[in-house]
Amino acid sequence: MVKDIYVNIDEKISSVKFFVDEEYCHLKIKSEEVCLNCERKPCLSFCPAGVYRLDSNGKILINYQACLECGSCRVGCPFNNILWDYPRGGFGLNYKFG
Ligand code: SF4
Ligand code: SF4
């Protein structure tokens, strides 16, 4: 029997437990002006958790509570315009393996 090697990403993400820090956002945009002039806005697509969204005024919104701490936004923003850090101690996510 061939083992199914494909993984359902949504299923995997739904098994992650989040300990949300309601008082501190560990992701920050350095300059909103840089974002307004960023034509392609790749952050809207490279984040696996859909953390970056666009509001009706073209401003980038950050839903940091859903961050999977993959670090992609450290290297994915072409203008190095995202300040990325880990959540504070005791917060963030807990992966379930197996
Ligand atoms: S990719 Fe970087 S500069 Fe462009 S919109 Fe996103 S955060 Fe802003
Ligand atoms: S670290 Fe990963 S999951 Fe978190 S905001 Fe950046 S790209 Fe998204």
Side-chain angles (χ1 to χ4, degrees), residues 27 46-49 51-52 67-73 84:
L27 304 166
F46 64 61
C47 174
V51 164
Y52 299 96
C67 176
L68 294 167
E69 301 171 27
C70 72
S72 299
C73 51
W84 187 94

Side-chain angles (χ1 to χ4, degrees), residues 6-83:
Y6 295 101
V7 173
N8 181 325
I9 298 294
D10 289 337
E11 213 172 89
K12 283 284 175 197
I13 289 177
S14 69
S15 73
V16 172
K17 192 167 182 186
F18 292 89
F19 298 92
V20 175
D21 186 345
E22 301 288 355
E23 292 171 7
Y24 175 75
C25 172
H26 66 286
L27 304 166
K28 290 182 183 60
I29 296 291
K30 294 180 191 171
S31 162
E32 288 185 2
E33 199 182 334
V34 170
C35 289
L36 288 172
N37 291 312
C38 175
E39 226 170 272
R40 288 177 40 247
K41 297 186 174 32
C43 58
L44 301 178
S45 51
F46 64 61
C47 174
V51 164
Y52 299 96
R53 299 278 165 86
L54 210 53
D55 77 2
S56 53
N57 298 315
K59 188 180 163 193
I60 297 287
L61 303 175
I62 305 177
N63 180 25
Y64 73 95
Q65 296 91 336
C67 176
L68 294 167
E69 301 171 27
C70 72
S72 299
C73 51
R74 287 183 99 162
V75 291
C77 172
F79 300 101
N80 189 23
N81 197 32
I82 300 171
L83 258 181

